Amino acid sequence: HGYRTIFPVPLAMASSWDPTVAERAQSVAAKEARAAGLHWTFGPMLDIARDARWGRIVEGAGEDPFLGAAMAAAQVRGFQGPSLGAPDHVVACAKHFAGYGAADGGRDYDPVYLPEGLLRNVYFPPFKAAVEAGVGTFMSAYMDLNDVPASGNRFLLRDVLRGEWGFKGFVVSDAFAIASLVTQGFARDGRDAAFRALSAGVDMDMASNTYLQHLARLVEEGTLKLADIDAAVRRILAIKVRMGLFEQPYIDEAKLAQVVALPEHRKEARLAAQRSMVLLRNEGGLLPLAKSLKNIAVIGSL
C-alpha cells in the first residue's frame, strides 16, 4: 500500500490502533503521488466488514465502527493535508458508500440488506468521520442496498450524504457502476441509467461512458434540466480549482526521483510495519508444534 514506498495494508495499519500510523503513511503516499503528477486517489476504503469470506477486507479497517471512523479521519488528513490544495497532498475519496462490505455470504457485488439502525450505528460512522475531516470526494458502491443500487440511491447520496452531513464535494461512481444499473434491473437502458444516477446524486460516471452518451439528449428532451448538469459540473470544477489544476496543469518530471528517494519515507514505512505487527502469546509452550504431529483440527464458525 502506498505509491513508491510500500506500507502495510490498511487492515494491518488499523491493527496498530494508532491513527497517526495511517495518517503518516498516507501523507508519504500523497507526497510521492503528487510528485508524479497525480492529484486524486481512490482511497481510503471505509467499508466495515464482518464476514471473513469477503475478499476486500484487507483494504479497510475491519469490523469496528469506532476504529474505522478514527482511521477514516486519519487517512483523509494524511492524503489531503490541512486543507484541499495543500502542497504535496492529493484529494481523498471515501469509498464505497455504503454497506458494500456486508454482501450476502461474503460474495463481492452480491446484494446487501441492512436495517437503517445498523447502517447508522455500524456502517455509516467511518464515512461521516471522513466528511467531518473534509474529504473532497465520495465513491458510490456497486451493489444493491435494500433492493436499490447504491449508485442510484437518493437516500444515501442526497438525503444522508448531502442533506444530513452537508457534504460539499463531488460523488464519483465505482467503475462501470452506472452502466450496471441496467444489469441490476434498476434501469431500463443506458439512457434511464444516466437519468437515475444523476438524479440520485452521482456527479461523475467512472469508465462506463453512460453520461457521455445520454446526458445531452436527456437535457434536450427536457427529462433533465441544464441546471442538474451544471450542479454536478460545478462540484467537480470546484475541486479542480482548489487543487490548482488550472494554474499549474503540468509537473516537473525531475521532482519524482528526488521525492521517492527520501530516506525519511523508508523510515516511516519501517515504523508503520513495527506498529502494525500483531503478536501471539505462546502460552504453555505450545509452539513450535511437535514434528511428530500428524493432524491439526481448525475449529470455528469461519
Side-chain angles (χ1 to χ4, degrees):
H1 199 71
Y3 184 75
R4 182 67 61 83
T5 303
I6 303 303
F7 287 85
V9 294
L11 186 62
M13 288 194 288
S15 72
S16 70
W17 286 85
D18 183 355
T20 62
V21 168
E23 182 174 351
R24 291 164 68 168
Q26 305 301 31
S27 180
V28 170
K31 186 172 184 177
E32 294 182 351
R34 189 68 183 267
L38 302 176
H39 298 83
W40 186 24
T41 183
F42 291 154
M45 193 196 90
L46 306 180
D47 296 300
I48 295 294
R50 294 182 165 183
D51 187 332
R53 295 171 295 184
W54 189 52
R56 298 190 68 169
I57 284 180
V58 67
E59 299 176 56
E63 65 183 358
D64 184 77
F66 181 83
L67 176 62
M71 289 293 166
Q75 290 184 83
V76 171
R77 292 192 300 268
F79 280 133
Q80 295 188 173
S83 62
L84 277 177
D88 298 328
H89 287 83
V90 298
V91 183
C93 185
K95 68 181 190 182
H96 311 84
F97 195 58
Y100 185 44
D104 279 355
R107 296 182 296 268
D108 204 26
Y109 304 172
D110 265 20
V112 171
Y113 295 95
L114 293 169
E116 189 169 343
L118 200 57
L119 271 173
R120 292 188 178 276
N121 290 319
V122 175
Y123 292 89
F124 279 178
F127 291 98
K128 190 170 189 291
V131 172
E132 292 171 349
V135 69
T137 65
F138 258 63
M139 185 185 295
S140 60
Y142 282 118
M143 76 305 143
D144 288 358
L145 174 64
N146 301 330
D147 294 325
V148 178
S151 291
N153 198 308
R154 291 183 64 93
F155 166 72
L156 287 177
L157 303 178
R158 291 201 184 272
D159 297 350
V160 175
L161 182 58
R162 296 204 185 278
E164 295 182 23
W165 297 350
F167 176 66
K168 302 299 184 186
F170 73 82
V171 175
V172 61
S173 75
D174 209 334
F176 302 98
I178 294 179
S180 293
L181 295 178
V182 180
T183 307
Q184 291 166 282
F186 186 69
R188 290 187 303 275
D189 48 29
R191 175 183 174 280
D192 191 37
F195 168 74
R196 288 175 178 268
L198 192 84
S199 299
V202 179
D203 301 305
M204 182 184 288
D205 169 16
M206 193 208 299
S208 82
N209 289 329
T210 307
Y211 279 3
L212 186 64
Q213 294 167 3
H214 298 287
L215 286 185
R217 190 174 65 176
L218 286 167
V219 171
E220 291 169 1
E221 296 171 350
T223 306
L224 284 174
K225 298 177 181 178
L226 189 60
D228 299 327
I229 310 296
D230 287 345
V233 171
R234 187 177 292 110
R235 287 189 283 263
I236 295 167
L237 289 178
I239 297 292
K240 292 187 176 187
V241 168
R242 293 182 69 178
M243 291 301 293
L245 292 181
F246 295 102
E247 290 79 15
Q248 294 180 307
Y250 304 110
I251 60 149
D252 178 2
E253 293 184 21
K255 185 179 179 182
L256 178 61
Q258 302 166 10
V259 171
V260 298
L262 291 173
E264 54 262 38
H265 290 187
R266 293 176 62 87
K267 184 178 179 181
E268 288 289 352
R270 187 178 183 89
L271 176 65
Q274 291 169 340
R275 297 286 287 135
S276 297
M277 289 178 184
V278 178
L279 306 181
L280 300 177
R281 182 177 290 119
N282 188 16
E283 293 182 342
L286 178 66
L287 300 174
L289 297 174
K291 292 182 178 180
S292 60
L293 206 60
K294 299 300 182 184
N295 297 289
I296 298 174
V298 181
I299 299 170
S301 60
L302 297 176

